[in-house]
Amino acid sequence: MGQIERQATKAADATDSKGFILAARAGYIAAGLLHILIGAIALRIANGGSGSADQSGAIAQLAASPGGSILLWACFLGCCALALFMLSEAFLATKAVGGKDKLGRQLKFAGQAVVYGAIGATFGIYALGGSTSSSGSTRSVSASLMSNPAGSAFLIAIGVGAVVTGGYFIYSGATQRFRKDLKALPGGSAGKAVTVLGSVGYVAKGAALGVLGVLLVLATVRNNPEESTGIDGALKSLQEAPFGIWLLGSVAVGLICYGIFLVVRSRYQRM
C-alpha cells in the first residue's frame, strides 16, 4: 500500500470515528437552528415587522441570546465537522461507485461541503466577535462580477443552478425522496410527523432557492447588483406577489419546518 493510500485510509478512519460522527451530526442541528431563525424573522416580516431574513441576521439574533457565544462556537464546530465529513464522502466513500453515478455523488457531497463550510465560517466570524452582512456581501460580489462578461456569465450560471436546485428540493419534498438518506424512522404519528416536516420544509426551501436564482439572473441581465440581495431579498420580494403576505408567511413557516426537520435529521441521517 502506497503512502497516498495509507493517508486516505487514515483519513477515512478519522471521519468514521464515533466522536467525529457525533460532531458532524451537530452540524445538522446548527443548520436547523439557522433555518428556524431565518423562518422566524421572515414570519415577523410577513406580520409587519423588520429584520434580515438571512444567515447574518439569524446568527446575529443567536449571538444576542443568553449563552449565545457558547452556541456560536458549538455551531461553528458542528458545521466544520459536517463539512469535513461531506468532503471525505466526496473523495473516499464514492470509490465503490463508478461512472456517472460516482461523479454525481462527488459533486453532491462536494457541494454540501461548501455549503456547510460557508455556514460554519459565518458562525465563526460572529463567535470571534465580528459581524457580516449577507446581503451586502452578495451585492458587493455581484457588482465585481458584473463588471466583465465572464463574471456575468458565471452569475447567471449560479442563478440557474439555484433554480435547478430549488426545483430538486421541491421534487424531493413532494415525492419524499429525502427519506432514502434516513435510517428507519419511528413508527406511528412520530414518523409521520417527521415526514410531513421534511416534505413541507423541502418545498419551502426549494421555493426560496428558486426565487433567489430568478432574482440573481434578472439582476445580472439588468446589470444591477443592487437587485442581488441574497435570500433576504428573495424572501422579501415575495411580498410583492399577489397574496404576498400569505405567500411569505407560508414559506417562512415552511423554513421553520425545514429547520426542525434538520434537527431531527441529525438523529436519523445515514452517516
Side-chain angles (χ1 to χ4, degrees), residues 7 34 62 79 88 96 124 189 217 252:
Q7 291 179 347
L34 188 65
L62 181 63
C79 286
S88 71
S189 57
V217 171

Side-chain angles (χ1 to χ4, degrees), residues 9 36 105 140 180 242:
T9 301
I36 291 171
R105 286 173 61 84
S140 177
K180 72 181 183 67

Side-chain angles (χ1 to χ4, degrees), residues 107-152:
L107 291 175
K108 172 185 174 182
F109 287 123
Q112 290 177 335
V114 171
V115 170
Y116 287 109
I119 294 174
T122 307
F123 275 118
I125 290 173
Y126 279 86
L128 290 170
S131 64
T132 183
S133 171
S134 298
S135 298
S137 297
T138 301
R139 284 193 294 267
S140 177
V141 172
S142 296
S144 177
L145 290 173
M146 287 180 193
S147 63
N148 62 82
S152 295

Side-chain angles (χ1 to χ4, degrees), residues 87 180 194 228 251:
L87 198 59
K180 72 181 183 67
V194 173
S228 179
V251 173

Side-chain angles (χ1 to χ4, degrees), residues 132-209:
T132 183
S133 171
S134 298
S135 298
S137 297
T138 301
R139 284 193 294 267
S140 177
V141 172
S142 296
S144 177
L145 290 173
M146 287 180 193
S147 63
N148 62 82
S152 295
F154 180 64
L155 282 176
I156 290 176
I158 293 177
V160 172
V163 172
V164 173
T165 302
Y168 180 76
F169 265 81
I170 293 174
Y171 168 75
S172 296
T175 62
Q176 299 179 5
R177 183 180 175 84
F178 59 87
R179 291 195 58 173
K180 72 181 183 67
D181 294 324
L182 304 178
K183 295 183 291 186
L185 295 174
S189 57
K192 292 180 180 178
V194 173
T195 301
V196 171
L197 283 172
S199 295
V200 173
Y202 264 77
V203 171
K205 174 78 171 180
L209 287 173

